[in-house]
């Protein structure tokens, strides 16, 4: 069982899925010879050729729009958008078409495609290179929105996303690409989409996180255990949409308290839907209001100020203490 | 260092074979079999008769807003006729005549414009995409289909339709660029009908032609008299043959005119003159082709009545469609409905069961059974 970082784990999944299914192909900017700006597609073109690993022209709508056409034909394209901040130039192709073709054609066509995008802060990058925009995709019927939290979930979820018959937006936290290595099994594995994991069991409070924020939540849980003697359950959502409400509700029904952590701005963000789902399903168990620890509602803070807006361990601990004391 | 002229000094060809005066260029006249000529005429006439019928159906409230094609029959039928059934056809929203040529049942198109999701479903083996409404966004799909056909080793050609306004959209340029770089078998058919709702071509582009935009992408661009079905048929046939032979994409600019409204919600008297419309009515694609066929003894007697009966029969089938089953809206959102959609479907089913006679209104939602009553609080506080 080799130890891989998330870049290598994603790369492994791409190799495995392309070897498994000749209909799977990769397209995007710099994904071929260069192996992608983060090297996630490294060596794929050498192995599978330039017809299957396509260095596309620099045009996001062209990438997604042509991938929709390929998917309508029966291929299974994996698109790389270089940074999620550039995806607004293809947002119409995602919302108007990739998400809707199954419905529009009443099942005659569908778009089995994955759109990979690096998202989030933590890499001292410029504007449009640090944002978290998962809420836009999670809001769109017909799409699935997946965010792994480390090498092993990244490899398993990417394989599942590629095999899923519906279009999947697959966000990769830049902060996690090289953050840590994890044991990844030799054999290909998948994780079901739409299913959250209990990353740590506890009875007093539920912390809900995903992507790069999982590590923040787990460290906060450690602090709360050590300093407060609080037993904190941590949920790793893994799929933002469709949201695993059953796991959320079961956890909060047990703990009675919940704090949601995400890098996206607060208002109308995933935390709002998560809080509403808890209200719907576990209202009678709640001991305190559901709190959100998120980025502030600013367009862009700049990396000189990024640490002040992206949730960190002290902020999560403080919110958890207030919730526990409510 | 000197200023030097680079190679690409382009010219744009304009093709016309049968002009509005009925003058025929016999050197260019295609050698089409009488059966194909009759089929072209039948499809153009059916397109015209159905179009006029659909405007009346809309005025009577029997279908919703739709975009008439009157005046563009030659552009549509001349081009689509160059395809095989195994080729792919990608429409925008005004291609009623071309879609019928491709095998869409009339009643299904009526269903589409009556707001039924079922109207967008192509038959299982049909190589056609459904109507795309956001302008130019279907062009990259055509390029992707063509890439996939080439990747699979199929010899299919893809034909995609759009208007003059679409050439201002980024997707038009991205699609042409990708098609040029990839050298895939796509024929881009621009129906330049002179007006994008109220905006005339001269406000849409400063280019002398739309065809020349292809040259910037290393793609052949040809202008054709879009009201001359013979010229369109010849140009499309050449473009399709080139695509099938692995020689890449082509842009065809069909010069035509929207004789009617943009959609049934539009009033063109606000932005264009009656004189202009009258001038284009004299170039009607049906008039000159009818005269051509008459001269060759190929006009069928009673065809209009036959087509009207066919349309009336389709309208009858359309109107016999039962009311839309509201629950079907959940059927094709995902391959497998996730839990929240199953719950929402059940919520709607409960509403319908509670009031089966009346269609559900937004304001009469029945609260889900599980909603707790105030005072039932079970927490430990």
């Amino acid at each position: 069982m080799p130890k891989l970082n998330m870049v290598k784990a994603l790369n492994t999944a791409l190799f495995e899925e392309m070897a498994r299914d000749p209909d799977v192909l990769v397209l995007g900017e710099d994904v071929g010879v260069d192996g992608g700006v983060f090297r996630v597609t490294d060596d794929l073109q050498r192995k599978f050729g330039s017809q299957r690993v396509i260095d596309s022209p620099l045009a996001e709508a062209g990438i997604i729009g042509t991938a929709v056409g390929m998917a309508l034909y029966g291929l299974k394209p994996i698109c790389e958008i270089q940074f999620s901040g550039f995806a607004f130039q293809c947002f119409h192709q995602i919302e108007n078409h990739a998400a809707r073709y199954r419905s529009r054609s009443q099942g005659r066509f569908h778009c089995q495609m994955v759109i990979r995008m690096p998202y989030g802060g933590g890499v001292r990058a410029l504007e449009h290179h640090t944002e978290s925009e998962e809420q836009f995709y999670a809001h769109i019927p017909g799409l699935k929105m997946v965010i792994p939290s480390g090498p092993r979930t990244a490899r398993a979820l990417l394989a599942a996303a590629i095999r899923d018959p519906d279009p999947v937006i697959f966000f990769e936290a830049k902060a996690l690409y090289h953050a840590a290595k994890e044991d990844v099994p030799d054999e290909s594995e998948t994780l079901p989409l739409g299913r959250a994991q209990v990353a740590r069991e506890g009875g007093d409070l539920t912390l809900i996180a995903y992507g790069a924020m999982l590590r923040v939540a787990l460290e906060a849980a450690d602090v709360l255990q050590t300093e407060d003697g609080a037993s904190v359950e941590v949920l790793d959502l893994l799929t933002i949409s469709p949201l695993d409400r059953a796991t959320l509700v079961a956890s909060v029904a047990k703990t009675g308290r919940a704090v949601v952590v995400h890098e996206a701005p607060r208002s109308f963000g995933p935390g709002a839907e998560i809080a509403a789902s808890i209200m719907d399903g576990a209202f009678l168990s709640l001991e305190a209001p559901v709190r959100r620890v998120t980025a502030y509602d600013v367009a862009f803070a700049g990396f000189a100020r990024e640490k002040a807006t992206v949730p960190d361990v002290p902020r999560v601990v403080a919110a958890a203490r207030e919730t526990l004391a409510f | 260092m000197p200023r030097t002229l680079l190679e690409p000094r382009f010219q744009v060809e304009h093709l016309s074979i049968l002009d509005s005066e009925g003058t025929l260029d016999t050197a260019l006249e295609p050698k089409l079999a009488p059966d194909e000529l009759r089929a072209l005429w039948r499809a153009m006439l059916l397109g015209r008769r159905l179009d006029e019928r659909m405007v009346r159906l809309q005025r009577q409230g029997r279908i919703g807003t739709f975009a008439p094609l009157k005046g563009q029959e030659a552009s549509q039928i001349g081009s689509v006729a160059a395809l095989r059934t195994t080729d792919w056809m990608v429409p925008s929203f005004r291609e009623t005549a071309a879609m019928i040529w491709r095998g869409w049942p009339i009643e299904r198109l009526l269903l589409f414009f009556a707001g039924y999701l079922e109207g967008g479903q192509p038959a299982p083996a049909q190589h056609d995409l459904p109507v795309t409404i956001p302008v130019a966004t279907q062009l990259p799909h055509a390029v992707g289909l063509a890439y996939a056909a080439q990747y699979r080793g199929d010899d299919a050609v893809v034909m995609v339709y759009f208007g003059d306004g679409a050439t201002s959209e980024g997707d038009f340029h991205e699609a042409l660029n990708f098609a040029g770089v990839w050298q895939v078998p796509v024929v881009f058919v621009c129906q330049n009908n002179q007006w994008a709702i109220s905006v005339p071509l001269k406000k849409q582009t400063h280019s002398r032609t739309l065809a020349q935009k292809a040259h910037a992408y290393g793609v052949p661009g040809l202008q054709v008299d879009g009201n001359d079905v013979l010229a369109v048929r010849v140009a499309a046939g050449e473009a399709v043959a080139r695509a099938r032979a692995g020689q890449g994409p082509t842009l065809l600019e069909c010069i035509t005119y929207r004789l009617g409204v943009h959609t049934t919600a539009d009033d063109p008297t606000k932005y264009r003159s009656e004189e202009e419309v009258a001038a284009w009515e004299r170039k009607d694609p049906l008039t000159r082709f009818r005269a051509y066929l008459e001269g060759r003894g190929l006009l069928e007697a009673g065809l209009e009545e036959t087509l009207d009966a066919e349309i009336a029969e389709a309208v009858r089938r359309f109107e016999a469609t039962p009311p839309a089953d509201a629950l079907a809206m959940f059927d094709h959102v995902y391959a497998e409905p996730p839990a929240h959609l199953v719950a929402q479907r059940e919520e709607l089913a409960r509403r319908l069961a509670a009031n089966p006679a009346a269609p559900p209104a937004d304001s009469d939602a029945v609260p889900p059974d599980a909603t707790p009553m105030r005072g039932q609080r079970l927490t430990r506080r």
Side-chain angles (χ1 to χ4, degrees):
Chain A
M1 193 178 273
K3 275 195 181 301
L4 303 179
N5 68 20
M6 197 167 91
V7 168
K8 190 63 191 155
L10 289 163
N11 183 256
T12 302
L14 292 171
F15 262 99
E16 288 168 345
E17 294 308 305
M18 291 189 78
R20 186 176 171 270
D21 185 347
D23 285 339
V24 174
L25 36 74
V26 166
L27 73 159
E29 297 156 11
D30 306 295
V31 298
V33 176
D34 199 34
V37 294
F38 289 101
R39 306 289 177 261
V40 173
T41 58
D42 224 7
D43 274 337
L44 289 174
Q45 195 180 67
R46 205 194 321 260
K47 165 101 186 200
F48 297 106
S50 57
Q51 293 302 302
R52 281 188 77 187
V53 183
I54 307 161
D55 272 322
S56 75
L58 201 167
E60 287 77 13
I63 293 168
I64 304 305
T66 56
V68 165
M70 293 176 192
L72 296 174
Y73 203 90
L75 301 184
K76 298 158 188 168
I78 305 168
C79 308
E80 177 173 306
I81 297 298
Q82 205 153 70
F83 288 88
S84 64
F86 304 145
F88 296 94
Q89 298 197 70
C90 57
F91 196 75
H92 67 292
Q93 286 291 345
I94 297 172
E95 200 279 346
N96 290 344
H97 297 304
R100 293 172 183 237
Y101 241 106
R102 184 184 292 284
S103 182
R104 179 181 304 144
S105 68
Q106 290 292 284
R108 167 72 172 82
F109 296 112
H110 64 277
C111 292
Q112 178 161 355
M113 59 192 285
V114 177
I115 304 173
R116 297 181 34 249
M117 307 185 204
Y119 86 101
V123 292
R124 298 175 60 78
L126 294 177
E127 191 181 4
H128 309 300
H129 293 69
T130 63
E131 289 81 352
S132 298
E133 305 98 340
E134 57 271 24
Q135 62 280 10
F136 296 119
Y137 306 99
H139 190 65
I140 297 173
L143 286 185
K144 296 181 179 178
M145 198 321 93
V146 172
I147 309 186
S149 55
R152 187 163 181 178
T153 57
R155 191 253 205 138
L157 286 169
L158 183 54
I162 294 166
R163 296 179 202 181
D164 194 277
D166 290 309
V168 179
I169 308 295
F170 194 90
F171 267 24
E172 300 163 5
K174 291 185 285 290
L176 295 181
Y177 270 145
H178 302 282
K181 292 186 174 181
E182 223 172 55
D183 286 331
V184 173
D186 295 321
E187 291 301 308
S188 172
E189 65 174 351
T190 60
L191 277 172
L193 303 188
R195 198 84 56 79
Q197 281 184 351
V198 178
R200 172 189 173 117
E201 287 195 24
D204 297 332
L205 177 137
T206 304
L207 279 179
I208 299 142
Y210 52 88
M213 289 297 105
L214 178 70
R215 174 187 298 256
V216 173
L218 286 170
E219 286 179 26
D222 277 341
V223 172
L224 291 160
Q225 180 74 57
T226 312
E227 298 182 6
D228 303 53
S231 161
V232 174
E233 181 143 298
V234 178
L235 298 188
D236 182 2
L237 280 188
L238 299 175
T239 299
I240 312 308
S241 172
L243 183 61
D244 183 358
R245 292 175 174 84
T247 299
L248 279 178
V249 165
S251 178
V252 179
K254 178 175 70 171
T255 62
R257 293 177 162 88
V259 175
V260 190
V261 187
H262 61 63
E263 284 183 79
R266 185 172 307 159
S267 297
F268 304 94
E273 180 61 31
I274 291 165
S277 298
I278 292 170
M279 295 274 283
D280 278 344
F283 180 71
L284 299 180
S285 306
L286 278 174
E287 302 286 347
V290 180
R291 291 186 66 95
R292 291 173 287 171
V293 183
T294 69
Y296 298 117
D297 290 334
V298 297
F300 166 64
F303 65 78
R305 295 182 173 83
E306 191 178 282
K307 284 202 168 94
T309 180
V310 175
D312 58 11
V313 174
R315 273 177 76 191
V316 176
V317 168
R321 284 180 177 148
E322 286 174 26
T323 304
L324 285 163
F326 184 83
Chain B
M1 298 300 282
R3 295 172 191 239
T4 52
L5 278 177
L6 298 176
E7 182 63 25
R9 276 173 294 169
F10 64 87
Q11 293 178 321
V12 175
E13 189 179 293
H14 177 98
L15 177 65
S16 167
I17 296 174
L18 178 66
D19 73 12
S20 56
E21 308 304 316
T23 314
L24 177 71
D25 186 328
T26 48
L28 292 173
E29 182 189 6
K31 304 287 172 273
L32 299 178
D35 278 353
E36 181 173 357
L37 289 167
R38 276 192 288 258
L40 294 173
W41 170 245
R42 187 183 193 286
M44 288 169 66
L45 190 59
L46 175 60
R48 174 68 58 93
R49 303 296 284 191
L50 175 61
D51 205 61
E52 290 171 349
R53 185 67 204 275
M54 284 174 74
V55 172
R56 291 198 300 276
L57 289 172
Q58 191 278 334
R59 299 301 185 223
Q60 294 160 0
R62 293 153 81 185
I63 62 172
T65 301
F66 98 104
L69 66 94
K70 184 178 178 180
Q72 300 178 212
E73 295 86 352
S75 292
Q76 291 189 17
I77 297 303
S79 53
V80 77
L83 294 180
R84 301 174 182 166
T85 51
T86 47
D87 291 330
W88 286 77
M89 188 280 208
V90 180
S92 115
F93 51 76
R94 201 187 296 284
E95 279 68 62
T96 321
M99 289 175 81
I100 291 168
W101 178 278
R102 291 288 294 177
W104 288 82
I106 292 171
E107 59 270 29
R108 189 161 305 173
L109 298 179
L110 294 173
L111 274 179
F112 178 85
F113 290 108
Y116 280 73
L117 294 169
E118 291 82 349
Q121 185 183 47
Q126 197 183 343
H127 285 185
D128 290 50
L129 299 191
V131 164
T132 289
I133 295 174
V135 170
T137 60
Q138 73 279 19
L139 273 69
H141 306 165
V143 177
L145 285 168
Y147 188 96
Q150 203 170 64
Y151 178 83
R152 287 264 180 90
D154 301 338
D155 73 348
V157 171
V158 185
M159 186 172 279
V160 56
Y161 288 87
F162 51 98
D164 41 302
T167 65
S168 299
E169 291 276 11
D171 277 4
F172 165 79
H173 296 273
E174 294 189 24
L176 270 173
N177 186 43
F178 275 59
V181 171
W182 289 349
Q183 286 296 293
V184 287
V186 187
V187 180
F188 295 94
V189 179
C190 176
Q191 297 176 76
N192 174 0
N193 70 14
Q194 315 301 323
W195 292 90
I197 306 189
S198 67
V199 176
L201 188 66
K202 66 177 185 295
K203 290 187 185 174
Q204 206 66 248
T205 182
H206 195 58
S207 292
R208 168 74 178 79
T209 70
L210 298 177
Q212 75 198 57
K213 290 173 189 278
H215 294 282
Y217 302 104
V219 169
L222 170 73
Q223 196 182 71
V224 56
D225 179 348
N227 285 3
D228 171 1
V229 70
L230 298 178
V232 177
R233 178 66 186 82
V234 166
E238 288 171 1
V240 166
R242 203 161 45 240
R244 205 180 310 281
Q247 291 163 20
T250 304
L251 170 63
L252 291 185
E253 177 191 3
C254 301
I255 303 293
T256 183
Y257 193 79
R258 160 166 61 79
L259 288 172
V261 290
H262 161 68
T263 69
T264 46
D266 174 43
D267 172 16
T269 62
K270 202 166 172 206
Y271 52 80
R272 66 186 190 185
S273 68
E274 282 175 31
E275 293 74 31
E276 180 184 304
V277 177
W280 277 97
E281 276 170 347
R282 287 192 290 278
K283 303 183 205 174
D284 189 317
L286 270 62
T287 310
R288 70 181 84 168
F289 194 43
R290 184 200 296 269
Y292 171 80
L293 293 176
E294 201 161 28
R296 294 192 50 178
L298 293 172
L299 273 188
E300 294 170 58
L303 182 59
E304 293 189 5
E305 291 72 21
T306 307
L307 296 177
D308 286 349
E310 197 176 302
I311 292 166
E313 193 49 47
V315 170
R316 263 192 294 279
R317 285 193 297 272
F318 157 67
E319 298 205 313
T321 308
D325 171 11
L327 292 171
M329 73 171 83
F330 295 104
D331 285 353
H332 297 290
V333 185
Y334 295 93
E336 294 292 329
H340 71 282
L341 277 186
V342 172
Q344 289 173 24
R345 189 182 191 282
E346 283 168 4
E347 175 189 320
L348 176 56
R350 279 197 301 274
R351 290 172 55 207
L352 295 172
N355 191 6
D362 290 338
S363 55
D364 64 355
V366 175
D369 297 336
T371 303
M373 299 294 288
R374 210 171 161 78
Q376 278 186 335
R377 194 174 161 90
L378 303 175
T379 58
R380 287 158 278 175
R381 276 163 66 102

